[in-house]
């Protein structure tokens, strides 16, 4: 008979493997370029707010997060959902969604 510790480890691995799809992270990779007057912004870290909306003209955000993004020649990348979890039901219950990106409160 196997020791209780070995059985616990096996049971834990089986549970984590079986439950993995339930806990899968909902992340969306997003890349962009910040410019000012058509030129890349100065390399720095900027506070950017991302929001998903039901309507292209705005309204109440269905999901939103603010994150610091570092730029290099104006380019940045961010994983949407890495600060505020993206609800899995958001993509099931809603049809088309619109992403708004704002820097210092101004939509880009």
């Amino acid at each position: 008979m196997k020791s209780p510790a070995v059985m616990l480890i096996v049971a834990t691995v089986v549970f984590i493997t079986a439950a993995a799809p339930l806990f899968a992270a909902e992340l969306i990779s997003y890349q962009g370029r910040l410019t000012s007057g058509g030129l890349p912004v100065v390399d720095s870290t900027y506070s950017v707010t991302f929001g998903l909306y039901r309507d292209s003209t705005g309204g109440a955000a269905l999901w939103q997060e603010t994150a610091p993004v570092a730029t290099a020649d104006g380019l940045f990348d961010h994983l949407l959902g890495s600060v505020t979890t993206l609800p899995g039901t958001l993509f099931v219950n809603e049809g088309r969604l619109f992403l708004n990106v704002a820097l210092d409160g101004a939509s880009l």
Side-chain angles (χ1 to χ4, degrees), residues 32-35 40-46 69-77:
R33 186 171 199 187
L34 297 178
T35 60
V41 296
V42 175
D43 290 355
S44 187
T45 300
Y46 298 88
V69 297
T71 61
D73 196 29
L75 298 172
F76 71 91
D77 61 77

Side-chain angles (χ1 to χ4, degrees), residues 32-77:
R33 186 171 199 187
L34 297 178
T35 60
S36 178
L39 299 173
V41 296
V42 175
D43 290 355
S44 187
T45 300
Y46 298 88
S47 180
V48 178
T49 300
F50 303 90
L52 289 173
Y53 295 83
R54 184 176 287 122
D55 194 300
S56 64
T57 59
L62 301 172
W63 168 88
Q64 185 172 301
E65 74 181 6
T66 300
V69 297
T71 61
D73 196 29
L75 298 172
F76 71 91
D77 61 77

Side-chain angles (χ1 to χ4, degrees), residues 21 29-30 32 34 49 57 75 79 84-85 93 96-97 101 104:
S29 178
Y30 180 80
L34 297 178
T49 300
T57 59
L75 298 172
L79 288 173
T84 303
T85 304
N93 297 337
R96 181 173 44 189
L97 296 173
V101 181
D104 296 329

